[in-house]
Amino acid sequence: MILFPEGKPTKRETFDEYRASGGYEALKRNPSPAAILEEVADSGLRGRGGAGYPVGKKWAIAAQTPVTPRYIVCNAGEDEPGSFKDRVLLEHRPHLVLEGMILAARAIPAEHAYLYLNETYHDCFQRFTDAVDEAQGAGLLHSLAVSIHGAPTVYVAGEDSAALEVLEGKPPLPRQKPPYPAAAGLFGKPTVVNNVETFANVPSILRSGAAWFRTHGTAESPGTMIFCLGDEMNHPGAYELPLGSSLRHLYEDVGGGLKEGKKLKAVLPGGPSCAFLPADRIDVPLDPASLQKAGSSLGCGVMRFYSTETCMVEETLRIAQFFARESCGQCPACRMETNMLSTILDRIHQGKGDTTLYHQFQKILDFNRGKGYCALINMPGPPITSAIRLFQDDFNHHLRHGTCPF
């Protein structure tokens, strides 16, 4: 695989081990900024943080914006519930991430790179600090300054512009866009913001070439992705698979199915902002286009699997309450929407109402769509509307009895 030789994290790689496996070879070839931008663009690499924006295009915007200085920000805030892939990458292969950041800095070019790190990731802080010191001692950083900055653990602090606000010493509040960070980011200067997994792909692309990278994954979605499996599975953990692998393969062969032999009822394939899929869609390929066609999205690869013993009203209510709690409050429409959605779901949960409540969700979502500074205002919609559509028996039972059907 591209990120983990064995397809999963198995050992904490040292500086010498990384260099022995080809680490920093791409950097030592001294590629020009134009060569880096071209290779990354040709590879088809897209951001692995959830939005899936073409990396080469983002970097080119920063490089072509005639303003200096420029900055690199590696977003390791990892605020998504159930996600831990950035953490395991930094713990096991910190030099892979660092080399990706150095190459990005050379591409745009930038003189300062930041690791925006979840403030609870103390081991990652030490591992990356040691990696920077080792790279500096080996003369690999040249004039590039690399800093680590703690990221608050609130959900919106992981949004790219909110991360920039924190780096500037301000509260973690998303900015109104445009302008986007690539053109006007940190301190108003061009800034590339990508997540850990995205940067970790870059050294292999520059070392082995875009054509080699495209031998993994699909034509539309080249490369691999790290998928996080939770404790409900027999084999929880972080696993790297080629994009386009089947959901069934991840669920049965890699994850070993649900614990205690429980039967599958539903899948949330990309985090709490994605639409639920029923168990009969288990053969869908794991790539953005296929998931979109199936009615959901790949997100950042956080996989949740629910057994037939799960009440989907309770699960959907938890998601709605999460977004209501994590809304930063600066956008009135978002604050109103997330609280209203949560309140209506709670009424259904308690059996206070009738099926006319189902129609209120879409009206609220349509009224508020696009009115927030960040994407959080759009996030509760897919899980709520899909749960009602797919598992209406659970919702009807709650309306009649005020209790779970199990």
Side-chain angles (χ1 to χ4, degrees):
M1 293 292 179
I2 296 170
L3 305 175
F4 295 121
E6 297 180 36
K8 60 183 179 180
T10 55
K11 63 179 299 184
R12 294 161 67 92
E13 189 176 51
T14 67
F15 179 43
D16 290 339
E17 288 169 341
Y18 180 65
R19 295 187 73 174
S21 67
Y24 293 111
E25 281 185 10
L27 187 64
K28 286 189 171 183
R29 292 174 187 170
N30 197 30
S32 68
I36 297 173
L37 290 173
E38 182 179 7
E39 203 70 34
V40 171
D42 289 348
S43 74
L45 175 66
R46 290 178 175 267
R48 299 296 195 245
Y53 193 80
V55 175
K57 185 175 181 179
K58 178 186 287 189
W59 292 15
I61 292 171
Q64 293 165 7
T65 302
V67 179
T68 58
R70 302 183 183 97
Y71 298 97
I72 297 295
V73 175
C74 179
N75 189 347
E78 196 150 49
D79 50 80
E80 196 81 12
S83 181
F84 48 91
K85 60 181 181 177
D86 290 349
R87 174 176 59 80
V88 297
L89 268 169
L90 287 166
E91 288 174 346
H92 291 80
R93 305 204 70 192
H95 280 283
L96 180 69
V97 179
L98 178 57
E99 186 180 6
M101 293 170 64
I102 298 170
L103 288 164
R106 178 170 291 187
I108 63 171
E111 296 179 357
H112 202 142
Y114 293 86
L115 176 68
Y116 178 71
L117 181 65
N118 186 306
E119 62 188 9
T120 67
Y121 286 3
H122 305 299
D123 188 32
C124 293
F125 178 89
Q126 191 58 55
R127 288 283 285 159
F128 196 77
T129 298
D130 291 344
V132 171
D133 290 343
E134 290 163 342
Q136 181 69 61
L140 296 167
L141 296 184
H142 298 288
S143 61
L144 179 66
V146 180
S147 305
I148 305 176
H149 196 292
T153 55
V154 293
Y155 186 69
V156 295
E159 195 269 343
D160 56 1
S161 66
L164 301 180
E165 290 286 289
V166 174
L167 290 172
E168 292 181 7
K170 303 171 187 175
L173 299 176
R175 298 175 180 175
Q176 189 172 18
K177 294 179 280 293
Y180 293 93
L186 189 62
F187 307 115
K189 308 298 184 182
T191 306
V192 163
V193 184
N194 283 120
N195 81 327
V196 172
E197 185 180 3
T198 306
F199 282 115
N201 275 280
V202 174
S204 296
I205 292 171
L206 270 294
R207 185 171 64 246
S208 301
W212 169 85
F213 183 78
R214 284 184 170 276
T215 63
H216 302 78
T218 70
E220 292 185 357
S221 299
T224 63
M225 191 166 188
I226 299 174
F227 297 95
C228 295
L229 303 185
D231 289 337
E232 73 273 15
M233 302 295 290
N234 280 305
H235 305 303
Y239 299 94
E240 182 186 9
L241 294 176
L243 286 164
S245 301
S246 76
L247 178 57
R248 181 185 296 276
H249 172 63
L250 177 64
Y251 173 69
E252 294 181 353
D253 303 329
V254 177
L258 290 165
K259 288 180 177 176
E260 301 174 8
K262 293 180 179 179
K263 293 184 178 180
L264 183 65
K265 177 177 184 176
V267 183
L268 199 61
S273 61
C274 298
F276 287 101
L277 293 177
D280 62 10
R281 299 310 301 268
I282 194 68
D283 291 306
V284 65
L286 292 171
D287 62 79
S290 297
L291 265 297
Q292 185 178 24
K293 186 177 180 181
S296 189
S297 57
L298 189 60
C300 64
V302 177
M303 294 286 174
R304 286 297 311 275
F305 297 91
Y306 301 89
S307 78
T308 51
E309 300 174 12
T310 303
C311 173
M312 300 310 295
V313 177
E314 289 200 336
E315 292 303 322
T316 308
L317 177 59
R318 287 192 187 98
I319 292 172
Q321 290 174 334
F322 169 79
F323 286 122
R325 185 172 63 249
E326 293 296 330
S327 173
C328 69
Q330 75 169 335
C331 301
C334 181
R335 185 172 63 248
M336 178 197 72
E337 177 201 84
T338 54
N339 279 289
M340 287 183 68
L341 295 174
S342 177
T343 298
I344 295 173
L345 275 169
D346 192 44
R347 286 183 61 192
I348 294 172
H349 184 259
Q350 296 181 48
K352 298 178 179 179
D354 55 40
T355 57
T356 59
L357 288 175
Y358 299 161
H359 306 294
Q360 296 303 311
F361 293 108
Q362 196 61 56
K363 292 180 181 179
I364 295 169
L365 293 166
D366 289 342
F367 179 78
N368 291 287
R369 184 171 285 110
K371 293 183 179 179
Y373 280 7
C374 73
L376 191 145
I377 196 168
N378 302 320
M379 291 180 177
I384 292 173
T385 56
S386 62
I388 294 171
R389 184 180 71 255
L390 296 171
F391 309 107
Q392 197 164 115
D393 287 348
D394 290 9
F395 286 81
N396 291 341
H397 189 280
H398 265 276
L399 281 175
R400 288 194 300 268
H401 306 287
T403 61
C404 295
F406 306 103

